Amino acid sequence: DEAAAVLFARSLGVWACSAATFKVLPRAFASPSRIVVPRAKLEIAHMRSSGPGGQNVNKVSTKVELRFNLRDAEWLPDEVRGRLEADQANRINKAGELIVTASESRSQATNMEAALGKIQEMVDEACIPLKERVMRTGLSNGAKKRRVDEKKRTSDVKQNRKRVDY
């Protein structure tokens, strides 16, 4: 079922994967400046999964681990690489490798596509520059005037509490 969804998504065009749900984006809507993760630059390892599969779990290596050295990834622009390092710091080891695993499915091929989709989604998110937030400094003139008026009003109230000499 999932493998069929992957094949269908591939036939339609560019796609992204998020937690085993596939979002199909036709080529017409794909960003022309999109950075595609080169599969040849990834180190692929297969291992036994702890996920679903019954006795098959003990026999077949369905879990997929993809890794690539982020510092040596010349196919990524510097600002995207920096954002990836900041956003995915918990997935980067001491050697500077970004590690992504997938073991959601019983199928090795489906897990491979899911892991590739995860990496592609991370790269796509890192391609979006952060908005520069402009922080206001100090109080506005209206706020200053309201504060002074409130202090005068409070002062007048307290002055009226004093004893009056007759």
Side-chain angles (χ1 to χ4, degrees):
D1 187 39
E2 290 178 17
V6 171
L7 292 174
F8 175 70
R10 278 181 149 183
S11 68
L12 287 178
V14 183
W15 60 276
C17 170
S18 169
T21 59
F22 294 97
K23 298 175 229 166
V24 179
L25 304 170
R27 289 192 192 284
F29 298 112
S31 171
S33 62
R34 183 171 188 216
I35 299 171
V36 178
V37 178
R39 206 167 181 169
K41 302 284 184 181
L42 301 174
E43 293 178 30
I44 302 168
H46 301 283
M47 53 205 68
R48 294 208 172 104
S49 175
S50 61
Q55 293 177 351
N56 199 42
V57 168
N58 300 324
K59 294 186 277 184
V60 181
S61 298
T62 56
K63 181 178 179 179
V64 175
E65 179 181 272
L66 299 178
R67 59 175 65 205
F68 69 94
N69 196 319
L70 202 54
R71 297 179 194 131
D72 296 338
E74 69 280 347
W75 51 273
L76 281 173
D78 290 337
E79 63 268 3
V80 173
R81 196 176 312 150
R83 281 195 287 269
L84 261 177
E85 282 184 25
D87 294 346
Q88 305 298 331
N90 58 340
R91 292 181 187 240
I92 298 173
N93 63 12
K94 289 181 182 177
E97 294 176 324
L98 177 69
I99 302 170
V100 176
T101 60
S103 61
E104 293 89 18
S105 171
R106 295 174 153 197
S107 164
Q108 191 181 78
T110 307
N111 284 335
M112 172 68 85
E113 295 301 322
L116 285 169
K118 287 178 184 180
I119 288 182
Q120 185 65 56
E121 191 173 309
M122 287 178 205
V123 171
D124 290 345
E125 287 177 11
C127 286
I128 301 169
L130 295 175
K131 291 181 183 175
E132 288 188 29
R133 304 231 189 295
V134 179
M135 297 300 289
R136 204 172 48 79
T137 56
L139 296 172
S140 66
N141 290 333
K144 287 178 187 175
K145 186 175 182 332
R146 285 190 297 273
R147 184 179 62 83
V148 170
D149 290 346
E150 182 63 30
K151 286 179 82 162
K152 284 182 183 174
R153 201 173 305 117
T154 306
S155 174
D156 290 343
V157 167
K158 289 186 176 188
Q159 288 295 322
N160 290 335
R161 289 181 190 155
K162 289 183 177 179
R163 282 189 182 200
V164 180
D165 291 333
Y166 292 106

